[in-house]
Amino acid sequence: MATTNIIGAVHILLSVTAFLGNSLILVALNKETSLHPPSKLLYRCLATTDLLVGLVAQPLYATWIFLDPWTLEDWKIFAYVQNATNITGYLLGGVSLLTMTAISVDRLLALLLGLRYKQIVTLKRTFIIVATIWVSTLVASVCVIFDYHITILYSIIFTAICLVISITSYIKVFCVLHHHHAQVQDHSQQQPSQPNALNTARYRKAVYSALWTQSALVVCYAPHFVLRIIVRHSKTYPLHLQVIGEIAVVLVYFNSTLNPFLYCWKISEVRRAVKQTVRQALCYTWG
């Protein structure tokens, strides 16, 4: 019981930090104008997902932990909370994973398309992709009510596909960047123009920012993903495995609290907008 209370309290604390942190990021992204609109939409989608984790998913999970089905007058309440927890968890986790995959592809397209990037990767097309991500993930998440195994199978298959796409995209990005760097070194007497050098440097920062966020998601989700596979092929579910499972779930939800710090650390445009927003809020509060 004590362990349950501690884990529930941790979830409540993380839900508050995730909500506040991602609310601040959304306000900052709304003020930031230097980011390419489609790229900014993808980061908005990711921040909105993390905000909903703190506002909806994590409080639901904490409620489900504290509920005791044996003391409830109507056991269906426990079932309703459990279903809502599973649906929101799989929905928001799936949207985060697919959005990060879209960001990795977006970074690759920005490199390969060059000047055609802004003509092909438009805000309208990106919005359609984001809407498709939400709708398809919602359908798969609702399936958990009817057949839990369908959702598990969907999550395993699409997680593997997303990781392959993301890894392939970043490998391709770094191969092209390395090739470009080698060409510059071979033709050192032909100095590149300053604007191109600045654009390359800015692009590298954008790639590393996305890669850090992607890596954080993988690290936070991997233990829970591996544990799900183990439980699926195990005939028993011992107590120590249950405790590890709860810690893995905390790590999954912690990703929503961690992301705002990564945005501020790795994306200078967002960091400046956040500082400006905080200053304005403090001036309004104490003014």
Side-chain angles (χ1 to χ4, degrees), residues 109-145:
L109 291 177
L111 181 62
L112 297 180
L113 295 176
L115 296 176
R116 294 184 298 145
Y117 169 69
K118 291 186 178 182
Q119 298 175 355
I120 295 176
V121 183
T122 62
L123 188 60
K124 181 179 179 180
R125 289 173 178 171
T126 307
F127 181 82
I128 292 173
I129 291 173
V130 169
T132 303
I133 288 173
W134 277 92
V135 172
S136 60
T137 309
L138 177 61
V139 172
S141 301
V142 171
C143 288
V144 74
I145 300 176

Side-chain angles (χ1 to χ4, degrees), residues 219-236:
V219 170
C220 290
Y221 278 66
H224 179 69
F225 182 73
V226 172
L227 192 64
R228 281 293 181 186
I229 297 177
I230 294 174
V231 171
R232 181 177 174 81
H233 294 87
S234 178
K235 295 181 179 179
T236 60

Side-chain angles (χ1 to χ4, degrees), residues 15-287:
S15 69
V16 174
T17 55
F19 174 75
L20 293 177
N22 287 284
S23 297
L24 185 60
I25 293 297
L26 285 172
V27 172
L29 286 173
N30 187 55
K31 293 181 178 181
E32 175 55 42
T33 57
S34 62
L35 290 174
H36 185 44
S39 300
K40 186 162 73 170
L41 175 60
L42 291 174
Y43 277 108
R44 274 180 172 176
C45 178
L46 197 59
T48 300
T49 304
D50 290 332
L51 183 146
L52 290 175
V53 167
L55 184 63
V56 180
Q58 211 157 5
L60 275 174
Y61 191 86
T63 303
W64 179 66
I65 288 177
F66 286 127
L67 284 179
D68 185 356
W70 302 108
T71 60
L72 292 174
E73 295 182 3
D74 188 355
W75 64 270
K76 290 183 179 180
I77 296 176
F78 182 83
Y80 291 148
V81 174
Q82 185 179 34
N83 287 334
T85 301
N86 287 331
I87 291 173
T88 54
Y90 281 110
L91 169 64
L92 299 177
V95 171
S96 294
L97 182 61
L98 289 169
T99 303
M100 283 308 310
T101 304
I103 290 174
S104 68
V105 175
D106 174 69
R107 293 299 83 207
L108 177 60
L109 291 177
L111 181 62
L112 297 180
L113 295 176
L115 296 176
R116 294 184 298 145
Y117 169 69
K118 291 186 178 182
Q119 298 175 355
I120 295 176
V121 183
T122 62
L123 188 60
K124 181 179 179 180
R125 289 173 178 171
T126 307
F127 181 82
I128 292 173
I129 291 173
V130 169
T132 303
I133 288 173
W134 277 92
V135 172
S136 60
T137 309
L138 177 61
V139 172
S141 301
V142 171
C143 288
V144 74
I145 300 176
F146 308 103
D147 192 338
Y148 183 75
H149 298 288
I150 293 178
T151 304
I152 292 295
L153 184 62
Y154 168 88
S155 62
I156 292 174
I157 292 174
F158 273 84
T159 298
I161 292 174
C162 288
L163 288 178
V164 169
I165 293 174
S166 295
I167 292 172
T168 303
S169 297
Y170 285 119
I171 289 175
K172 180 66 175 178
V173 164
F174 286 111
C175 285
V176 173
L177 288 176
H178 177 74
H179 178 69
H180 173 73
H181 180 71
Q183 283 184 325
V184 172
Q185 293 296 323
D186 291 340
H187 303 85
S188 56
Q189 69 278 10
Q190 299 177 1
Q191 295 295 330
S193 63
Q194 189 67 12
N196 288 337
L198 290 174
N199 287 338
T200 302
R202 183 175 180 181
Y203 175 79
R204 284 180 180 271
K205 289 181 180 180
V207 169
Y208 281 116
S209 300
L211 189 56
W212 268 95
T213 310
Q214 178 97 41
S215 301
L217 184 142
V218 171
V219 170
C220 290
Y221 278 66
H224 179 69
F225 182 73
V226 172
L227 192 64
R228 281 293 181 186
I229 297 177
I230 294 174
V231 171
R232 181 177 174 81
H233 294 87
S234 178
K235 295 181 179 179
T236 60
Y237 193 28
L239 181 60
H240 73 276
L241 206 58
Q242 296 179 30
V243 175
I244 295 174
E246 290 298 336
I247 296 174
V249 172
V250 170
L251 190 60
V252 168
Y253 284 124
F254 174 70
N255 181 249
S256 297
T257 294
L258 179 62
N259 280 339
F261 292 98
L262 291 177
Y263 301 151
C264 292
W265 177 36
K266 303 302 296 183
I267 307 177
S268 57
E269 296 88 350
V270 173
R271 182 169 60 250
R272 286 195 299 267
V274 167
K275 288 181 179 179
Q276 181 183 3
T277 302
V278 172
R279 290 195 197 99
Q280 290 176 349
L282 291 176
C283 291
Y284 179 81
T285 302
W286 299 103

